[in-house]
Amino acid sequence: MSDKPPNPEATLPVRAHDNPNIPNSADGAPSKNALKKAQKDAEKAAKKAASKQKEEEQKAAQQASADVDNAKDNYGPLSTGNEVEITHLKNIGEEHADKVINVIVRVHNSRGQSAKLAFLMLRQQGRTIQSVLAVGDDVSKQMVKWAVGISINSFVRVSALVKKTPAPVESATIKAYELHIKKIYLISQAQQMLPVQPKDIERPAPETAEEGQTDASGAPVVTLKTRLDNRVIDLQSECNQAIFTISSAVEGLFDEYMRKSGSRKFNTSKLAGAATEGGAGVFEVSNYFGKKAYLTQSPQFYKQMLIAGDCESVFEVGPVFRAENSNTHRHLTEFTGLDFEMVFDNHYHEVLTFAENLIVFVVTELLSRYEPEIAVIQKYFPKAGDFRIKDNKALRLKYLEGIQLLKDAGVDTTEQDEFKTDLTTAMEKQLGKIIREKYDTDFYVLDEFPMSVRPFYTKGHPSDPNLSNSYDFFMRGEEIMSGAQRINDAEELEASMRAKGVDPSAEGFQDYVNAFRQGCRPHAGGGLGLNRIVQFFLGLDNVRQATPFPRDPQRLRP
Amino acid sequence: MSDKPPNPEATLPVRAHDNPNIPNSADGAPSKNALKKAQKDAEKAAKKAASKQKEEEQKAAQQASADVDNAKDNYGPLSTGNEVEITHLKNIGEEHADKVINVIVRVHNSRGQSAKLAFLMLRQQGRTIQSVLAVGDDVSKQMVKWAVGISINSFVRVSALVKKTPAPVESATIKAYELHIKKIYLISQAQQMLPVQPKDIERPAPETAEEGQTDASGAPVVTLKTRLDNRVIDLQSECNQAIFTISSAVEGLFDEYMRKSGSRKFNTSKLAGAATEGGAGVFEVSNYFGKKAYLTQSPQFYKQMLIAGDCESVFEVGPVFRAENSNTHRHLTEFTGLDFEMVFDNHYHEVLTFAENLIVFVVTELLSRYEPEIAVIQKYFPKAGDFRIKDNKALRLKYLEGIQLLKDAGVDTTEQDEFKTDLTTAMEKQLGKIIREKYDTDFYVLDEFPMSVRPFYTKGHPSDPNLSNSYDFFMRGEEIMSGAQRINDAEELEASMRAKGVDPSAEGFQDYVNAFRQGCRPHAGGGLGLNRIVQFFLGLDNVRQATPFPRDPQRLRP
């Protein structure tokens, strides 16, 4: 067994000594065509540079022999067998002051002050730190020149002395320390012309921004579309790093809460033999070994079948597919569903209370465990820090009480009064505002929705035939969850299907309906959208900002 | 806000007083047609029963007035407003002895000893407990008759006195206690004739079992196919309940280990605009808003793009789709991938060691935290308890060392010596046996696979052009993970693609290849199959036994 490191020269073919005269950034907001052209030009330039590499290396070698370089081992491409302990920028603190550390960072920008002095802003996961490269014992003029020529966004390994700064460095996110570089090696080179500039990505852009606009400071605005088209660079921003820390945390807290309750995680099939939850909104797989298959729109049937299979309490995190041509700030064709389903002993409100406490747990833990990340996001999305949840308790209203609040505010609810239609998105938002004013909370629950606006598997209300044992959860007036008690008797289910115009004998329903012929305990559950929770908790403009690689009717890449 | 319980009579329409003369079980193994017919008959019978319900209730009422029933409130369909505290069978212990508890259980079987005495075996999540129903202060003859008539598998709520048993009850899984029933209410009625019998499911069946066979005791054998066709009943077994507790635990331990290391969980898109990892094995979505879309075969490209996006360490749990016509004991068309990818500081062995320790963590924690579940599974799959992992350490061999072990055992490895082909499945299994004998372990790792048998994104070996920085993990001689250092330079990646006959300019590759033009740290990762880990750790016959609703070329339901 060998523990020899790989040869980094084979690993990291870098184009050293690139021409520093090629500009590293475009100052105006480049158009799409200009971007494409710039990229092609950059690629051409890179190829040229590559072919000239040997030549230049030879020249450099000749120059070096003419002008002796006392620091020649302290810079250049990272060479073999040169292993050191690495410190993460996020961990730099008091204990590192006046010590030499090694970091692996991107060059965020660089400025040659003179032949003997340069400043490099270094970046790791969106955090930036100022560094100084000054000719001295460890640093030569050749080294300064080489370092200033490193293309923006390239990865370098730096050995540097950590110094406390006399005054906070306003331009960096790490303000109390700077690095005095002693060694700098190139690990991975970025191309000379990036399609978008990391520094432009770092500035917030309103959702309404258009290509070519500049912001108040005259700097180019990068639209959401351009960001998503160049998602790999976009993800590198301080804000996006924090958003996806929150996203990971939301899922982790859901998992933690469910497991503590004794629930088990399942992964049910996303390929199904029939389109059961409504044909129009279903993606179809055309080549399933001579048969047709469909992508599930939710794990609803499977999690109920697990309950019928005595699993008692189950949860699932997985993709949910919706072939709906909705082009809004909160719709995707694929999102991450956080689903749960469980039996109850006496009343479905046991499950409703459990779910309310889940959201309270997630929100309060986010606010306490992730204060630094939320503060970062707040710089870009001002609402991020102001999510209210009064007394750490859910506010539960009946649906009809919600309607009454809207009526009291002068909203026309005729259609809702006749149980013809659900609350509209506008009504939900308005109700969110009313409730925030009246109850000082951004999280509320509506219970006992009309049966007419719920799916066929919803359990009816015990005394009012117009209503049902079902609930929706809202954050900042936008729906994050839908749930209900489910029908657990096959004949009652078939009757409910027929009443909704669904044929229980249709292909794909038998397994589901038959599950309730074997005896099944009364149960309830819900389905949350991870992306929406992140969006609305943080007050983001758009669900795509909370999705690593979003999919919508227009977008299938990257 | 109302906390009133729903009306259980509306909730739970039960067919009371079913004819106890209809047999509750079929003694022979029923054929497919017989099953279908039985089900139809049962449905007809159920409908008849329903229509006769009122009539019978009236009769019963007349009878009751003739023959006074002093226990009439202690049985029957569960009525409204009757809320009690429920105890789970798994929690019954010393503290309950001689106390009355309430349980919600299935009737596993029932036997009327006389008009005054009956025994009901009660079941919850595969656990069984003996119960006695004897005429006395709380129990009438009418109540005994009614209880014996409850169809097998129906859910009841029972109030009962817990009694320690003088001798262990061999026929139940809970041997030290029995229940003396005081009240019994029907919650959800199972049909009279189930398609398979829970008691038959509880007996192990060898994978080779065929329909109609009987086992050594003369009892019918239920084949894997029949089990999967009737998965809801199959899941109710003691063994399956334990298997899916282990499955949930494996995923939870993976999550725990990754999060402790500082890694973040992502959910990347399963819909992609191009089939990038090999056209033949890809499922195609035919109706993506006028475009074609494909289901990803792994999150490989996305997790590497996240790394290029500075996420540094990421993991994902999600469905993996393979349109491969493989009909083996370990292949599925959809399984749950546990994927991770991370940057390293100096050498890819940092990641390899991390991954080895992950498996050691998962296995050792399973063995210590889930001893009872493993013991249950061992009753059905004898290998479940004997997974060996010597000194709680991974055994790491080089691929060529593995080949040498095979050669030493007389295996012909000509094709492997010429780097023409990977180890065959038979060779892997044989190597697993050799290693178990020689090193006393069921978990081993092969490192430095030939480049010729690895995908194009694999990083080559630093000094041997035939080899690569890649590894596979094996449990009991079967592959559970494949991983490698990845190429992190765009030009090197394009060259590797061309060398493998892949066109880097093909649609769908640009976003991936361009990700490495922005600068990207060296990184490595791997992809584990959750279903296979569960299968091989527990020594199950078939990966379908570790999958709630398996999908293969023949199976798209339930």
Side-chain angles (χ1 to χ4, degrees):
Chain A
M1 182 181 347
S2 157
D3 276 306
K4 273 208 318 187
N7 178 354
E9 275 165 289
T11 320
L12 311 159
V14 290
R15 289 160 251 125
H17 306 282
D18 276 315
N19 185 347
N21 297 322
I22 297 177
N24 279 323
S25 66
D27 284 327
S31 73
K32 210 172 164 185
N33 284 339
L35 278 175
K36 271 194 190 162
K37 192 179 173 302
Q39 197 169 330
K40 276 195 186 160
D41 290 348
E43 281 163 13
K44 269 189 207 163
K47 276 184 192 162
K48 246 191 210 170
S51 72
K52 286 195 179 171
Q53 187 173 334
K54 284 216 159 170
E55 206 178 315
E56 285 180 22
E57 275 172 0
Q58 284 167 342
K59 266 193 219 167
Q62 285 165 356
Q63 263 196 334
S65 66
D67 181 6
V68 177
D69 184 353
N70 62 351
K72 66 178 173 2
D73 293 337
N74 293 346
Y75 68 99
L78 186 67
S79 61
T80 316
N82 183 354
E83 303 197 359
V84 295
E85 199 191 320
I86 303 295
T87 301
H88 199 289
L89 279 199
K90 72 180 170 194
N91 295 327
I92 289 181
E94 195 56 46
E95 72 273 27
H96 300 108
D98 300 316
K99 298 217 171 81
V100 173
I101 62 167
N102 300 290
V103 294
I104 296 179
V105 288
R106 290 188 188 267
V107 176
H108 188 59
N109 66 51
S110 62
R111 181 160 54 88
Q113 189 84 345
S114 70
K116 293 185 172 183
L117 181 67
F119 297 94
L120 275 69
M121 188 66 82
L122 304 176
R123 192 177 91 238
Q124 184 171 22
Q125 294 196 301
R127 289 175 194 85
T128 50
I129 191 165
Q130 183 70 265
S131 74
V132 185
L133 191 64
V135 168
D137 284 351
D138 301 302
V139 178
S140 63
K141 278 198 282 186
Q142 293 91 329
M143 181 169 164
V144 171
K145 190 181 174 194
W146 180 86
V148 169
I150 296 169
S151 58
I152 295 304
N153 232 39
S154 296
F155 270 108
V156 289
R157 198 179 87 187
V158 166
S159 294
L161 189 69
V162 179
K163 295 298 266 182
K164 291 194 83 164
T165 52
V169 184
E170 287 309 332
S171 57
T173 70
I174 297 170
K175 301 182 190 305
Y177 301 94
E178 63 180 16
L179 298 178
H180 292 218
I181 297 177
K182 290 171 166 293
K183 297 176 183 174
I184 179 165
Y185 303 107
L186 188 59
I187 289 183
S188 172
Q189 175 157 304
Q191 63 188 9
Q192 289 293 342
M193 182 70 92
L194 299 174
V196 285
Q197 295 306 308
K199 70 180 168 59
D200 294 336
I201 292 287
E202 286 291 356
R203 280 194 311 279
E207 216 201 344
T208 52
E210 283 177 28
E211 282 308 334
Q213 268 190 336
T214 53
D215 65 14
S217 71
V221 152
V222 187
T223 63
L224 182 59
K225 181 183 178 304
T226 300
R227 285 170 195 263
L228 295 177
D229 285 345
N230 298 281
R231 190 59 158 165
V232 169
I233 295 182
D234 187 40
L235 285 170
Q236 295 168 14
S237 76
E238 183 191 21
C239 181
N240 277 331
Q241 288 296 318
I243 287 173
F244 288 101
T245 297
I246 297 294
S247 176
S248 175
V250 170
E251 190 178 333
L253 291 166
F254 173 68
D255 191 283
E256 186 179 330
Y257 183 87
M258 292 306 302
R259 285 183 190 274
K260 268 190 194 160
S261 80
S263 191
R264 284 180 291 176
K265 193 158 191 274
F266 281 79
N267 297 279
T268 63
S269 176
K270 304 304 155 203
L271 290 166
T276 45
E277 288 178 79
V282 179
F283 289 119
E284 185 182 301
V285 173
S286 53
N287 61 333
Y288 198 92
F289 307 101
K291 297 177 279 288
K292 284 217 170 158
Y294 302 88
L295 296 180
T296 53
Q297 290 171 292
S298 86
Q300 184 61 37
F301 285 12
Y302 294 109
K303 59 186 186 164
Q304 285 193 260
M305 284 160 77
L306 290 170
I307 294 298
D310 286 359
C311 295
E312 292 197 353
S313 175
V314 302
F315 69 107
E316 173 155 5
V317 176
V320 167
F321 302 98
R322 303 277 164 93
E324 289 158 13
N325 201 353
S326 300
N327 296 276
T328 79
H329 73 298
R330 64 179 199 183
H331 283 91
L332 295 169
T333 51
E334 177 182 347
F335 63 89
T336 302
L338 308 178
D339 270 272
F340 65 93
E341 199 74 27
M342 56 183 63
V343 298
F344 55 83
D345 290 339
N346 292 297
H347 194 282
Y348 83 95
H349 278 178
E350 294 164 29
V351 179
L352 179 51
T353 302
F354 175 91
E356 288 171 350
N357 291 343
L358 160 66
I359 298 297
V360 170
F361 173 74
V362 169
V363 169
T364 54
E365 293 299 311
L366 284 178
L367 289 171
S368 69
R369 295 191 211 175
Y370 295 92
E371 216 185 311
E373 285 79 6
I374 292 169
V376 164
I377 297 162
Q378 201 171 9
K379 293 199 281 179
Y380 306 92
F381 297 96
K383 286 196 279 181
D386 76 350
F387 193 89
R388 294 283 307 143
I389 181 160
K390 203 188 176 189
D391 302 331
N392 290 342
K393 259 193 74 173
L395 173 71
R396 188 193 302 175
L397 300 174
K398 288 188 185 177
Y399 173 86
L400 292 177
E401 291 169 338
I403 296 283
Q404 189 59 49
L405 286 175
L406 287 169
K407 269 194 223 294
D408 294 346
V411 178
D412 176 6
T413 59
T414 315
E415 295 243 308
Q416 284 72 26
D417 291 342
E418 291 167 6
F419 302 122
K420 278 185 186 159
T421 170
D422 202 350
L423 291 171
T424 64
T425 304
M427 282 176 172
E428 289 173 357
K429 283 192 189 177
Q430 191 163 355
L431 187 56
K433 278 185 197 155
I434 294 167
I435 284 175
R436 198 182 210 227
E437 274 171 34
K438 185 166 176 176
Y439 298 100
D440 191 25
T441 190
D442 284 313
F443 169 47
Y444 67 95
V445 170
L446 295 184
D447 188 21
E448 299 186 9
F449 269 69
M451 190 65 195
S452 56
V453 303
R454 307 299 278 199
F456 62 72
Y457 43 78
T458 308
K459 182 78 184 171
H461 188 279
S463 57
D464 188 335
N466 286 318
L467 302 181
S468 66
N469 288 356
S470 67
Y471 38 82
D472 275 3
F473 285 21
F474 298 86
M475 273 185 169
R476 300 189 200 260
E478 307 226 36
E479 191 219 310
I480 55 157
M481 185 184 111
S482 199
Q485 180 179 350
R486 326 295 186 178
I487 295 171
N488 64 318
D489 177 85
E491 289 179 20
E492 186 182 349
L493 183 59
E494 286 171 326
S496 179
M497 291 167 91
R498 281 187 213 102
K500 295 259 183 194
V502 176
D503 178 7
S505 68
E507 206 200 331
F509 284 128
Q510 284 89 12
D511 290 317
Y512 174 65
V513 176
N514 285 340
F516 306 106
R517 295 194 211 280
Q518 339 295 336
C520 180
R521 285 179 67 169
H523 58 283
L528 295 138
L530 171 63
N531 320 56
R532 282 197 187 179
I533 295 176
V534 174
Q535 178 190 0
F536 299 130
F537 171 71
L538 293 173
L540 308 184
D541 301 323
N542 196 299
V543 71
R544 291 159 185 78
Q545 290 156 337
T547 310
F549 301 104
R551 295 290 177 258
D552 63 35
Q554 267 72 49
R555 182 175 292 282
L556 265 169
R557 63 155 287 265
Chain B
M1 183 179 347
S2 159
D3 276 305
K4 272 208 320 189
N7 178 354
E9 276 166 290
T11 321
L12 311 159
V14 289
R15 289 160 250 124
H17 306 283
D18 276 316
N19 184 348
N21 296 325
I22 297 177
N24 280 324
S25 65
D27 284 327
S31 74
K32 212 172 161 183
N33 284 340
L35 277 174
K36 271 195 190 160
K37 190 177 174 302
Q39 197 168 329
K40 277 197 184 156
D41 289 349
E43 281 163 13
K44 270 190 207 164
K47 276 184 192 162
K48 245 191 209 169
S51 70
K52 286 195 179 171
Q53 187 172 334
K54 283 216 161 167
E55 205 178 315
E56 285 182 22
E57 275 171 0
Q58 285 167 342
K59 264 192 219 167
Q62 285 165 357
Q63 263 196 332
S65 67
D67 179 6
V68 177
D69 184 352
N70 62 351
K72 66 179 171 7
D73 294 335
N74 293 345
Y75 68 99
L78 186 66
S79 61
T80 315
N82 183 353
E83 302 197 3
V84 293
E85 199 191 321
I86 303 295
T87 302
H88 198 290
L89 278 200
K90 72 179 171 196
N91 296 326
I92 289 180
E94 195 57 46
E95 72 271 28
H96 300 107
D98 299 316
K99 298 215 171 82
V100 173
I101 62 169
N102 301 290
V103 293
I104 296 179
V105 288
R106 289 188 189 268
V107 176
H108 188 58
N109 66 52
S110 62
R111 182 161 53 89
Q113 189 83 344
S114 70
K116 292 185 172 183
L117 180 67
F119 296 95
L120 274 69
M121 187 68 82
L122 304 176
R123 191 176 92 238
Q124 183 171 24
Q125 294 197 303
R127 289 177 194 83
T128 49
I129 192 165
Q130 182 70 265
S131 75
V132 185
L133 192 63
V135 169
D137 284 351
D138 302 301
V139 178
S140 61
K141 277 198 282 184
Q142 293 93 328
M143 180 170 165
V144 171
K145 189 180 174 195
W146 180 85
V148 169
I150 297 169
S151 58
I152 295 306
N153 232 38
S154 296
F155 270 109
V156 290
R157 199 179 87 187
V158 166
S159 295
L161 189 68
V162 180
K163 294 300 265 181
K164 291 195 85 162
T165 52
V169 183
E170 287 310 332
S171 57
T173 70
I174 298 169
K175 300 183 190 306
Y177 302 95
E178 62 181 16
L179 299 178
H180 291 218
I181 298 177
K182 291 172 164 292
K183 297 176 183 175
I184 179 165
Y185 304 108
L186 188 60
I187 290 183
S188 171
Q189 175 157 305
Q191 64 188 7
Q192 289 293 342
M193 181 71 92
L194 298 174
V196 285
Q197 294 305 308
K199 70 180 169 58
D200 293 337
I201 291 287
E202 287 289 357
R203 278 194 311 279
E207 215 201 345
T208 52
E210 283 176 30
E211 283 309 334
Q213 267 192 335
T214 52
D215 66 13
S217 72
V221 151
V222 186
T223 62
L224 182 59
K225 183 182 175 304
T226 300
R227 286 169 195 263
L228 294 176
D229 285 346
N230 298 280
R231 191 59 158 163
V232 168
I233 295 180
D234 187 40
L235 285 170
Q236 295 168 13
S237 76
E238 182 191 22
C239 182
N240 277 331
Q241 288 296 318
I243 286 173
F244 288 102
T245 296
I246 297 295
S247 176
S248 175
V250 170
E251 189 178 334
L253 291 165
F254 173 68
D255 191 281
E256 186 180 331
Y257 184 87
M258 293 306 302
R259 286 185 190 271
K260 268 190 193 160
S261 79
S263 191
R264 285 179 290 177
K265 194 159 193 271
F266 282 80
N267 297 279
T268 63
S269 175
K270 304 305 155 202
L271 289 166
T276 46
E277 288 176 80
V282 180
F283 289 118
E284 187 182 301
V285 173
S286 53
N287 61 333
Y288 198 92
F289 307 101
K291 297 178 279 289
K292 283 217 170 156
Y294 302 87
L295 296 180
T296 54
Q297 290 170 293
S298 85
Q300 185 61 36
F301 285 13
Y302 294 109
K303 60 186 185 164
Q304 286 193 259
M305 285 160 77
L306 291 171
I307 294 299
D310 287 359
C311 295
E312 292 197 354
S313 176
V314 302
F315 69 106
E316 174 155 3
V317 176
V320 168
F321 301 98
R322 301 278 164 91
E324 289 158 12
N325 201 352
S326 300
N327 296 275
T328 79
H329 73 299
R330 65 179 197 182
H331 283 91
L332 295 169
T333 52
E334 177 181 349
F335 62 89
T336 302
L338 309 178
D339 269 273
F340 65 93
E341 200 74 27
M342 54 183 63
V343 299
F344 55 83
D345 291 339
N346 292 297
H347 195 282
Y348 83 96
H349 279 177
E350 294 163 30
V351 179
L352 179 51
T353 302
F354 174 91
E356 288 170 351
N357 291 342
L358 160 66
I359 299 297
V360 170
F361 173 75
V362 169
V363 169
T364 53
E365 293 299 311
L366 284 178
L367 290 171
S368 69
R369 295 191 209 174
Y370 295 91
E371 218 185 307
E373 285 80 4
I374 293 169
V376 164
I377 297 162
Q378 201 170 8
K379 293 200 281 179
Y380 305 93
F381 297 96
K383 286 196 279 179
D386 76 349
F387 194 88
R388 294 283 306 144
I389 181 159
K390 204 191 176 187
D391 302 331
N392 290 343
K393 260 193 72 175
L395 173 72
R396 188 193 302 174
L397 299 174
K398 287 188 185 178
Y399 173 85
L400 292 177
E401 292 170 338
I403 296 284
Q404 190 59 50
L405 286 175
L406 287 169
K407 269 194 224 296
D408 295 347
V411 179
D412 177 7
T413 60
T414 316
E415 295 242 308
Q416 284 73 25
D417 292 342
E418 292 166 5
F419 302 122
K420 277 185 186 158
T421 171
D422 202 350
L423 292 171
T424 63
T425 303
M427 283 176 172
E428 289 173 356
K429 282 191 188 176
Q430 191 163 356
L431 187 55
K433 277 184 198 157
I434 294 168
I435 285 175
R436 197 183 212 226
E437 273 172 34
K438 186 166 176 175
Y439 298 99
D440 191 25
T441 189
D442 284 314
F443 169 47
Y444 67 95
V445 171
L446 295 184
D447 189 20
E448 299 187 7
F449 269 69
M451 190 65 194
S452 57
V453 303
R454 307 298 280 199
F456 61 75
Y457 44 77
T458 308
K459 182 77 184 172
H461 187 278
S463 57
D464 188 335
N466 285 319
L467 302 181
S468 65
N469 288 356
S470 66
Y471 38 83
D472 275 3
F473 285 21
F474 299 86
M475 274 184 169
R476 302 190 200 256
E478 308 227 37
E479 191 220 308
I480 55 157
M481 185 183 111
S482 199
Q485 181 179 350
R486 325 295 187 179
I487 295 171
N488 63 319
D489 177 86
E491 289 179 19
E492 187 182 346
L493 182 58
E494 287 171 324
S496 179
M497 291 167 93
R498 281 187 213 102
K500 295 260 182 194
V502 175
D503 177 7
S505 68
E507 205 200 331
F509 284 127
Q510 284 91 12
D511 290 317
Y512 174 65
V513 176
N514 285 340
F516 306 106
R517 294 194 213 280
Q518 340 292 339
C520 179
R521 286 179 67 172
H523 58 282
L528 295 138
L530 170 63
N531 320 56
R532 281 197 187 179
I533 295 176
V534 174
Q535 178 190 1
F536 299 130
F537 171 72
L538 293 173
L540 308 183
D541 301 324
N542 196 300
V543 70
R544 291 160 185 77
Q545 289 156 336
T547 309
F549 299 104
R551 294 289 176 260
D552 63 34
Q554 266 72 52
R555 181 175 292 281
L556 266 168
R557 62 155 288 264

